[in-house]
């Protein structure tokens, strides 16, 4: 008998007792409630704004800001608009997040592995670290590190100097910054060439391994190329940059790159805090790979480095990724605590100073929240996608 | 036919057991680990003695003003002098017994719930859960039935931290459970509403939420409505936390096999009875550790109310460190704050691990 | 007691049950068998609305099964069901498992519900386990608790979905014995099982399903000794030689 | 609805103050709020309820203050807030008057050896975020063509801590605050306030726009305090004078004659209560920031108009 | 091929292996049996250094097993091992499981490694599963993949640690057949198993262990029909009557 699609539905009950009808009634009611509450709040807000003569709308984004900003990744002067201030805040938040995620991941993996070390002392040290740092509020840690960093550093005049090029003092870490010079173009071209060569080499060596089983020391050769070729370009076509060295003029160092202590403290605190959680995730991820897997790999003659790379980590990653994702999200959200120590992140600059200069609380907070929401959603989407891609195939 | 005589067990060669064996196996099994051990020893050596020295050996404990702190180590006098404020905030001195009593009531009231053999535990628990909040409100806030009123603006310190954390989680539980049910509902509209709600709160930082609740909420409400500042913070924390609780509870519900729903349905139980009598009791038991972890996170997050000017434990301490009379003892303040938070969080995380182990074995049998 | 007329069911595009017609009289004991995936479980799950049928009529105890919740509830009260994997509630004691539905659905006082429960636990021969948790019992004991739990609602009809197939062989007998006892007491039963011995002893009728259809329906003597259809023969050959 | 009605209904004035600025608003170790800004609030409460205690304080950071006022979180904002055009117009606020004529200045460590703000090229400057100070600073350095690094914190306490730690060379704020903040340093003598005043900073209480009735009450409470000082009424003698004074100005002010109270929908004796419970402007100034306080700020331009200052209240008539 | 002389092993204070002496010639097929906990697994795991022995000598293919990594690696290359629980790598396809070690340890070109792998997958009769993941295979198929994986390294000796005891009964045969095939091709094998049928058919020698000692060592006919020791008899009685 060929199956045909269902025709008439079975008889229905009355509106109150039929589950479908009831479900729809309920759903329509809940839509009404949500819309009603939304409208009520909107109405009140409208009324309140009108009553109190508060400006609304997003026109303020074009107004000029008029205040200085401690750190901005793009050019900024006081004449620039609030819109640009928003971008600067967002970039600063992203900077802290990216740095924090990077260091927290590295530190977290190291600690997670240390936590599993057969070496008793290392194991215990890692445990102590994890238990201390994950049980103290991050805000407290941020304050602590900020003032600890400030207290430990000398004034600009007594800076620690490394080869008269790098200076460390309470105002930050000052590094020489490259500035373009005549040989820059050939230099950049040579760099591109080396990188292209690197990729080609890697491809070729993979093919060679597949064909002959021999491995080629790609990394070392490429590193050598990386030094030699641009070096020759520099010699032939002249210096690509001259270095702008930081110099003490007046109160502070001028020139070079400066890494401000606020950034250091917040990155430090967030990395240390989040690493404690990541370490636990890593540990349970590695423990989730059964001992039999390592034994099987060992009995095949694989060395421990290869076992880790080819067998343990790929499997552990599947367990680690989902909790790691939420740690990343937490770190991004916690980066908003930067406001407490004056690091000009999104919350501090935009939901703080701009809000206060313009008085447009609803708009600025709405924008700020949407930005965090968007970051959170995109990180989770990315991670979900990755997670799906690497999921184990089962029956 | 022979009878095989077994050889006696010999003691192991001495390098593999005993103190030496242990040291060899755990500290110096190979050159790489030996290096690590030395490195770790070095770290211990450069960190522990100075810390101990600062915190104990050359610390000042006695006195009641900054002149007592001369030795160069930690000045615990500062903490000692301010201790009452760190615990009670500006709660009137002569009424502090009310706070103590509230805490004691919580401890002794909840204790029977942890006794295995307690009869009628469920009923007792329900009565306690209903009665205690009223009692606690009467004691802490007062203003009726003969208790003098203590404004919430006078609440502070550890007491406020605990109030926020406990009320937050207690409020978040029922809401979180409803959200979890909604997210697993087969009504698409309800599901969408719940998912949106949950994802929204999980996606934004708590400080923006607190900020909104503290200064913007009145903009959304009619002019005559006036809600206490602490209450608004509590509402914000509750909504925020409910989203996290919802996800934890959902995890637990997913672990309940479909057969349980079917068996309950086949017996003629309706949706709410299936959930209330069969599914949630099992799901909640499974997620107790997760809930405790959420509570720990919440407990740490209470420190953020500094942003909206509530004087919780951390803010009280922070405020004390800028008191001109005690300038320069910020480190002591932060260390003390850290210690207080640590004790609570560590204790709870141990408890959650203990539960996890207990539930784990219970599961296997 | 049960009348099914022209019932069809689809899972999405897949036609699982095709034109099922079946009627069960009061006190009748019917065994459903057939190869895996033939729709046996689906059929009996439709009877108490764990699955929804899309065409045809199901009438249980003079009540037609529609999507009206009132009817569904009325029918579920009269129909007890026992599952392959017991589905006892692990957080409740055996006694609580048995009294849950009487208390909340039938609204019987607790004392009385417990007396009834003990009576049925006696009947399935495990009164001494009343205060244990399901996790502490063997599979056979658990299934007997599940039967007692269903009986506590004093159903007019009992449905069994392969009640013994998740059990270790040594426990199968204790459950079958319980079921035989029940049959002897005159309970109306509809039973999905591959225990042909049970079918032979107890059943008034055996129904053979395949590919979502009822292929054959006969008294056990005739069914086993002289099946009409080729497919039934094939199936019986496989199952009895196993 | 009307703020006055709402205030009467709830039984207290909700007042937004600073979260810690000696002399203006700060909490003592008992948690009591004190300072000029606080006294203005208490005066409003005394005017409305005849009881200066019927006021609740909400400590606000600079960032939160306007939102809190706009949203109705507080009824009056008395938090050393500078009166500017944009705040008065676009933000929907109304400034009720000036409690303190201030100007922005700089606080530096003596060790730096700086004598004038003109020498501050390249300095790192600590400021409180979200203040006019932040804008003035930027203007000042722009006009003088100097460079600076702004380091802004949410709370004024943190700016002090950062200056102390050496994170910045200079702290900038309203001069009055500089004096207040200086005593928060471990070693106040090691720091000086530079002579330059780079801006006008009239500070005063603020209310929401659109409620003239409430605006008038706050404004005239302040004026009443100034007029009281001018008329020589003090907390000690005001009750006496209310009964005995023959001066028609005083009689009108204290409600013995005329309709001042009724017009403002306040009790007849409201000024008596304000002065009795809080004091006249001079007393409040003296007690909180002037000679009677730790700050010891001179009256300067905050003296009465007839003593060479700017404080000038319209007559009661 | 393998020579073990006076090997002792302790777990902490517990003396697991006591004075084990054993030698296996090229092409010999040896079955190890004994009660649970007698040290069978430990013995063969010492041979490829999954466990470390503390006294005595183990010499495999003329290389002495010391803690020198070079020796350990050399030996592991020549010794294949099959585990009770298969231990396939679930994140790699069957083919990748089989080529992993040849690629990274033997450094064979990929093409060639795949050819070898397919050859052995053919041998264990599942070439068609080459691109599936282990999770998609049945237990018997997984164990055969595990054997193929070990064979791909072209080992001189194969160790089996109860290769069939985690399998459903209907799958035992397919794995045993594969092992018998291997034995017929002359592979040197050391096999811990309780499949006495297999021992009888294939083994050159059967070794019985108990409490960490070798109690008896004999050819299968003699071992099964006429065991010397009382202990062996008891064990055989238990295992054969089961
Ligand atoms: N929820 C479902 N969604 C889609 N198809 C389903 C679902 N449940 C069952 N099926 C399919 O319907 C068919 C009948 O299933 P049913 O469980 O009734 O078979 P059965 O006769 O009870 O088999 P068994 O002896 O294995 O229990 C099977 O092909 C099955 O794959
Ligand atoms: N890692 C270990 N630590 C301590 N004791 C161990 C360890 N591994 C095994 N043992 C003990 O050593 C003894 C021998 O174990 P082994 O696994 O070799 O036995 P077996 O003969 O293979 O038994 P089975 O048939 O159960 O696999 C057992 O008593 C076991 O408990
Ligand atoms: Mg079925
Ligand atoms: Mg073993």
């Amino acid at each position: 008998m060929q199956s045909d699609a269902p025709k008439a539905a079975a008889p229905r009950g009355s509106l109150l007792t039929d589950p479908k009808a009831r479900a729809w009634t309920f759903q329509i009611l809940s839509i009404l409630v949500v819309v009603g509450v939304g409208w009520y709040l909107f109405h009140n807000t409208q009324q309140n704004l009108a009553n109190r003569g508060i400006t609304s709308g997003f026109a303020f984004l074009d107004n000029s800001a008029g205040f200085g900003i401690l750190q901005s990744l793009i050019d900024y002067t006081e004449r620039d608009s609030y819109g640009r201030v928003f971008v600067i805040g967002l970039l600063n938040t992203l900077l802290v997040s990216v740095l924090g995620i990077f260091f927290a991941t590295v530190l977290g993996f190291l600690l997670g592995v240390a936590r599993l070390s057969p070496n008793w002392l290392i194991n215990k040290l890692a445990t102590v670290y994890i238990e201390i740092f994950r049980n103290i509020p991050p805000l407290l840690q941020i304050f602590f590190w900020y003032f600890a960093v400030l207290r430990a550093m000398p004034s600009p005049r007594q800076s620690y100097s490394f080869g008269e090029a790098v200076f460390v003092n309470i105002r930050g870490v000052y590094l020489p910054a490259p500035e373009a010079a005549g040989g820059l173009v050939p230099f950049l071209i040579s760099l591109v060439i080396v990188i292209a060569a690197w990729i080609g080499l890697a491809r070729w060596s993979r093919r060679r391994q597949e064909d002959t089983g021999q491995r080629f020391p790609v990394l070392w050769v490429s590193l050598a190329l990386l030094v030699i070729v641009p070096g020759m370009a520099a010699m032939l076509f002249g210096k690509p940059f001259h270095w702008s060295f930081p110099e003490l003029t007046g109160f502070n160092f001028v020139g070079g790159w400066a890494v401000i202590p606020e950034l250091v403290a917040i990155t430090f605190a967030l990395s240390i805090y989040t690493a404690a959680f990541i370490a636990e995730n890593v540990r349970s991820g590695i423990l989730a790979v059964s001992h039999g897997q390592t034994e099987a790999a060992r009995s095949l003659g694989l060395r421990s480095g290869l076992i880790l790379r080819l067998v343990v980590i790929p499997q552990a990653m599947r367990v680690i990724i989902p909790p790691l994702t939420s740690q990343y999200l937490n770190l991004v959200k916690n980066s908003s605590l930067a406001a407490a120590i004056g690091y000009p992140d999104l919350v501090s600059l935009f939901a703080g100073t701009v809000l206060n200069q313009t008085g447009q609380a609803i708009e600025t907070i709405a924008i700020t929240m949407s930005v965090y929401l968007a970051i959170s959603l995109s990180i989770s989407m990315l991670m979900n996608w990755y997670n799906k891609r690497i999921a184990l195939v089962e029956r | 036919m022979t009878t095989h005589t077994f050889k006696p067990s010999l003691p192991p060669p001495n390098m593999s057991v005993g103190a030496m064996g242990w040291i060899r196996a755990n500290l110096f099994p190979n050159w790489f680990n030996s290096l690590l051990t030395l490195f770790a020893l070095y770290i211990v050596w450069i960190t522990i003695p100075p810390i101990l020295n600062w915190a104990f050996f050359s610390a000042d404990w006695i006195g009641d003003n900054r002149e007592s702190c001369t030795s160069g180590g930690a000045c615990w006098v500062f903490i000692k002098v301010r201790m009452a404020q760190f615990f009670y905030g500006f709660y009137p001195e002569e009424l502090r017994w009310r706070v103590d009593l509230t805490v004691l009531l919580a401890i002794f009231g909840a204790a029977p719930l942890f006794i295995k053999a307690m009869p009628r535990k469920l009923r007792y628990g329900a009565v306690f859960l209903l009665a205690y909040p009223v009692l606690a409100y009467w004691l802490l806030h007062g203003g009726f039935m003969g208790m003098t009123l203590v404004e919430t603006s006078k609440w502070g310190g550890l007491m406020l931290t605990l109030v926020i954390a406990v009320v937050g989680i207690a409020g978040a539980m029922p809401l979180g459970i409803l959200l979890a049910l909604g997210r697993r509902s087969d009504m698409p509209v309800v599901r969408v509403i719940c998912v949106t709600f949950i994802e929204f709160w999980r996606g934004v930082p708590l400080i923006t939420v607190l900020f909104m609740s503290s200064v913007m909420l009145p903009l959304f409400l009619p002019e005559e409505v006036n809600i206490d500042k602490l209450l608004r913070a509590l509402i914000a924390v509750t909504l925020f936390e409910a989203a996290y609780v919802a996800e934890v509870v959902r995890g637990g519900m997913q672990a309940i096999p479909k057969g349980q729903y079917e068996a309950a349905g086949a017996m003629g139980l309706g949706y709410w009875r299936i959930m209330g009598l069969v599914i949630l009791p099992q799901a909640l038991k499974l997620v107790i550790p997760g809930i405790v972890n959420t509570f720990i996170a919440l407990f740490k997050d209470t420190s953020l109310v500094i942003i909206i000017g509530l004087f919780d434990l951390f803010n009280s301490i922070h405020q004390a460190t800028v008191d001109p009379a005690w300038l320069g003892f910020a480190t002591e303040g932060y260390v003390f704050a850290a210690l207080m938070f640590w004790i609570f969080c560590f204790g709870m995380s141990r408890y959650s691990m203990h539960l996890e182990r207990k539930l784990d074995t219970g599961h296997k049998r | 007691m049960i009348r099914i007329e022209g019932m069809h069911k689809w899972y999405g595009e897949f036609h699982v049950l095709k034109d099922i017609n079946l009627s069960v009289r009061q006190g009748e004991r019917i065994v459903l068998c057939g190869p895996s995936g033939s729709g046996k479980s689906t059929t009996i799950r439709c009877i108490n609305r764990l699955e929804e049928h899309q065409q045809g009529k199901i009438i249980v105890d003079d009540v037609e099964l529609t999507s009206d919740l009132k009817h569904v509830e009325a029918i579920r009260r009269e129909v007890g069901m026992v599952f392959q994997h017991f589905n006892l509630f692990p957080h409740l004691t055996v006694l609580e498992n048995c009294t849950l539905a009487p208390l909340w659905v039938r609204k019987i006082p607790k004392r009385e519900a417990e007396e009834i429960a003990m009576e049925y636990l006696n009947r399935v021969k495990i009164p001494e386990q009343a205060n244990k948790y399901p996790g502490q019992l063997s599979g056979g004991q658990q299934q007997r608790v599940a039967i007692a739990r269903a009986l506590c609602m004093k159903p007019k009809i009992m449905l069994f979905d392969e009640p013994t197939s998740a059990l270790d062989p040594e426990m199968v007998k204790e459950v079958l014995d319980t079921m035989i006892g029940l049959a002897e007491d005159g309970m109306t039963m509809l039973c999905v099982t591959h225990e042909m011995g049970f079918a032979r002893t107890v059943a008034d009728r055996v129904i053979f399903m395949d590919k979502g259809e009822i292929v054959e329906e006969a008294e056990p003597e005739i069914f086993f000794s002289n099946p009409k259809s080729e497919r039934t023969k094939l199936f019986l050959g496989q199952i009895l030689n196993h | 609805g009307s703020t006055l009605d709402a205030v009467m209904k709830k039984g207290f004035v909700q007042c937004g103050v600073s979260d810690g600025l000696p002399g203006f608003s700060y909490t003592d170790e008992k948690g009591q709020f004190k300072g000029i800004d606080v006294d203005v609030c208490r005066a409003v409460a005394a005017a409305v309820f005849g009881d200066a205690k019927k006021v609740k304080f909400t400590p606000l950071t600079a960032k939160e203050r306007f939102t809190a006022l706009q949203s109705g979180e507080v009824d009056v904002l008395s938090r050393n807030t500078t009166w500017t055009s944009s705040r008065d117009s676009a933000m929907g606020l109304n400034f009720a008057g000036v409690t303190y004529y201030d100007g922005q200045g700089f606080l530096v460590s003596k060790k730096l050896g700086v004598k004038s703000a003109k020498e501050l090229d390249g300095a790192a400057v600590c400021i409180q975020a979200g203040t006019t100070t932040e804008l003035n600073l930027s203007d000042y350095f722009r006009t003088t063509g100097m460079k600076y690094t702004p380091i802004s914190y949410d709370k004024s306490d943190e700016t002090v801590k950062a200056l102390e730690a050496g994170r910045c060379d200079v702290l900038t704020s309203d001069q009055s605050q500089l004096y207040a903040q200086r005593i928060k340093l471990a070693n106040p003598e090691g720091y000086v306030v530079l002579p330059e005043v780079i801006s006008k900073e009239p500070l005063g209480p603020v209310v929401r726009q659109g409620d003239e009735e409430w605006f008038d009450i706050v404004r005239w409470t302040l004026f009443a305090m100034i007029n009281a000082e001018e008329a020589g009424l003090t907390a000690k003698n005001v009750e006496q004078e209310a009964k005995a004074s023959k001066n028609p100005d005083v009689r009108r002010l204290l409600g013995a004659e005329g309709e001042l109270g009724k017009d403002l929908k306040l009790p007849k004796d409201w000024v008596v209560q304000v002065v009795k419970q809080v004091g006249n402007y001079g007393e409040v100034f003296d007690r909180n920031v002037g000679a009677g306080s730790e700050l010891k700020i001179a009256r300067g331009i905050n003296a009465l108009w007839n003593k060479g200052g700017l404080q000038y209240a319209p007559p009661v008539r």
Side-chain angles (χ1 to χ4, degrees), chain A residues 197-265:
Chain A
W198 190 333
I199 294 170
L201 206 62
R203 289 233 175 118
W204 170 80
S205 106
R206 192 170 330 128
R207 220 169 313 124
R208 191 170 100 115
Q209 191 202 339
E210 286 176 7
D211 293 343
T212 67
Q214 299 305 305
R215 225 159 315 236
F216 186 79
V218 179
L219 189 67
W220 300 116
V221 173
S222 311
L223 283 181
L225 279 181
L226 197 61
V227 173
I228 295 166
V229 176
M232 274 171 42
M235 277 201 284
L236 285 177
F237 299 97
K239 274 193 187 166
F241 341 92
H242 33 243
W243 293 96
S244 135
F245 287 99
E247 223 176 313
L248 185 66
T249 50
F251 304 97
N252 285 305
F253 283 85
V254 177
W257 271 330
V259 182
I260 55 174
E262 287 77 16
L263 177 61
V264 175

Side-chain angles (χ1 to χ4, degrees), chain B residues 6 29 37 40 47 50-51 54 77 83-84 138 193 281 290 333 337-338 342:
Chain B
F6 287 100
T37 301
T47 51
I51 290 179
W54 177 81
V77 180
M83 189 77 94
W138 179 62
I193 293 175
W342 187 83

Side-chain angles (χ1 to χ4, degrees), chain A residues 31-345:
Chain A
I31 293 184
L32 286 180
V33 168
V34 169
V35 169
V37 169
W39 184 82
Y40 173 76
L41 296 179
F42 178 76
H43 172 79
N44 284 329
T45 313
Q46 283 280 301
Q47 193 100 30
N48 288 339
L49 290 181
N51 280 351
R52 294 162 196 176
I54 302 171
T55 329
S56 60
F58 292 92
F60 72 98
L61 287 175
D62 293 328
N63 298 352
S64 111
F67 53 86
I69 298 177
L70 176 56
Q71 172 193 288
S72 90
L73 297 179
I74 53 178
D75 285 338
Y76 171 80
T77 67
E78 284 88 342
R79 268 164 297 235
D80 285 323
S81 67
Y82 288 126
R84 198 170 179 87
V85 172
F86 164 76
V87 176
I88 290 171
L90 179 57
L91 287 177
N92 283 341
T93 289
L94 291 178
L95 177 70
V96 170
S97 305
V98 169
L99 288 177
I101 284 176
F102 175 76
F103 288 114
T105 309
V106 172
L107 190 60
F109 269 81
L110 284 179
L111 283 165
V113 173
R115 187 88 164 66
L116 290 171
S117 164
N119 187 317
W120 184 86
L121 201 57
I122 293 285
N123 185 323
K124 284 289 167 281
L125 274 184
T127 310
V128 167
Y129 172 99
I130 290 166
E131 290 301 351
I132 288 182
F133 286 107
R134 72 171 179 176
N135 285 319
I136 297 175
L139 183 64
L140 184 52
Q141 297 192 38
I142 290 172
F143 272 112
F144 183 84
W145 289 120
Y146 184 51
F147 290 108
V149 167
L150 285 192
R151 203 179 278 181
M153 290 301 148
S155 75
R157 291 189 192 158
Q158 277 99 43
S159 297
Y160 301 125
S161 144
F162 300 93
E164 293 300 316
V166 175
F167 298 91
V168 177
N169 60 47
I170 191 165
R171 304 286 158 80
V173 180
Y174 291 81
L175 307 163
E179 273 173 12
L184 184 64
V185 176
F187 179 80
L188 287 182
I189 291 173
S190 72
L191 259 186
V192 171
I193 291 171
V194 170
I195 289 170
W198 190 333
I199 294 170
L201 206 62
R203 289 233 175 118
W204 170 80
S205 106
R206 192 170 330 128
R207 220 169 313 124
R208 191 170 100 115
Q209 191 202 339
E210 286 176 7
D211 293 343
T212 67
Q214 299 305 305
R215 225 159 315 236
F216 186 79
V218 179
L219 189 67
W220 300 116
V221 173
S222 311
L223 283 181
L225 279 181
L226 197 61
V227 173
I228 295 166
V229 176
M232 274 171 42
M235 277 201 284
L236 285 177
F237 299 97
K239 274 193 187 166
F241 341 92
H242 33 243
W243 293 96
S244 135
F245 287 99
E247 223 176 313
L248 185 66
T249 50
F251 304 97
N252 285 305
F253 283 85
V254 177
W257 271 330
V259 182
I260 55 174
E262 287 77 16
L263 177 61
V264 175
I266 183 92
T267 309
F268 200 69
L270 289 181
S271 311
I272 282 186
Y273 179 69
T274 312
F277 290 89
I278 293 181
E280 284 299 272
N281 298 338
V282 168
R283 184 177 78 107
S284 49
I286 293 179
L287 282 181
V289 180
S290 76
H291 195 56
Q293 293 287 313
T294 351
E295 287 192 341
R298 265 168 45 199
S299 66
L300 284 170
L302 291 165
R303 295 195 171 189
S304 49
L306 281 177
I307 295 177
L308 213 59
R309 203 175 107 198
L310 299 173
V311 176
V312 177
I313 298 222
Q315 293 186 56
M317 279 319 270
R318 294 172 161 83
V319 184
I320 296 173
I321 293 277
L324 193 63
T325 308
S326 29
Q327 289 314 325
Y328 286 173
L329 288 178
N330 285 342
L331 190 141
V332 172
K333 281 183 276 170
N334 281 337
S335 76
S336 62
L337 302 181
I341 54 165
Y343 176 81
D345 78 322

Side-chain angles (χ1 to χ4, degrees), chain D residues 171-241:
Chain D
L171 191 161
T172 181
S173 185
D174 295 349
Q175 284 214 317
S176 60
Q177 293 190 39
L178 292 181
Y179 289 103
Q181 284 165 343
R182 193 169 70 153
I183 61 168
K184 285 192 173 180
L185 292 161
N187 164 28
E189 286 71 40
Y191 294 82
V192 284
V193 176
L194 296 180
E196 280 86 352
V197 175
I198 64 167
S199 69
K200 293 185 287 187
E201 305 282 341
L203 310 176
V206 198
V207 295
R208 277 182 295 279
Q209 194 170 299
D211 186 349
E212 297 303 318
E213 185 183 273
W214 182 247
F215 172 66
D216 287 341
I217 291 174
V218 176
R219 158 184 280 230
W220 277 92
T221 304
L222 180 57
F223 286 158
M225 290 164 74
I226 297 171
N227 277 328
E229 186 188 5
E230 195 177 332
L233 303 170
T234 63
K236 285 225 183 62
N237 72 9
V238 66
E239 253 177 335
Q240 181 68 26
E241 292 284 319

Side-chain angles (χ1 to χ4, degrees), chain C residues 11 14 16 34-43 51 161-162 194:
Chain C
Y11 279 125
F14 174 52
V16 224
S36 182
S38 55
K40 310 176 299 287
S41 300
T42 311
T43 306
E51 305 285 351
D161 190 359
E162 307 200 21
H194 293 138

Side-chain angles (χ1 to χ4, degrees), chain A residues 118 120-121, chain B residues 14-28:
Chain A
W120 184 86
L121 201 57
Chain B
N14 58 8
M15 270 317 274
S16 62
V17 286
M20 279 313 288
W22 185 89
I23 288 178
R24 196 183 72 110
N26 292 297
L27 298 179
F28 303 99

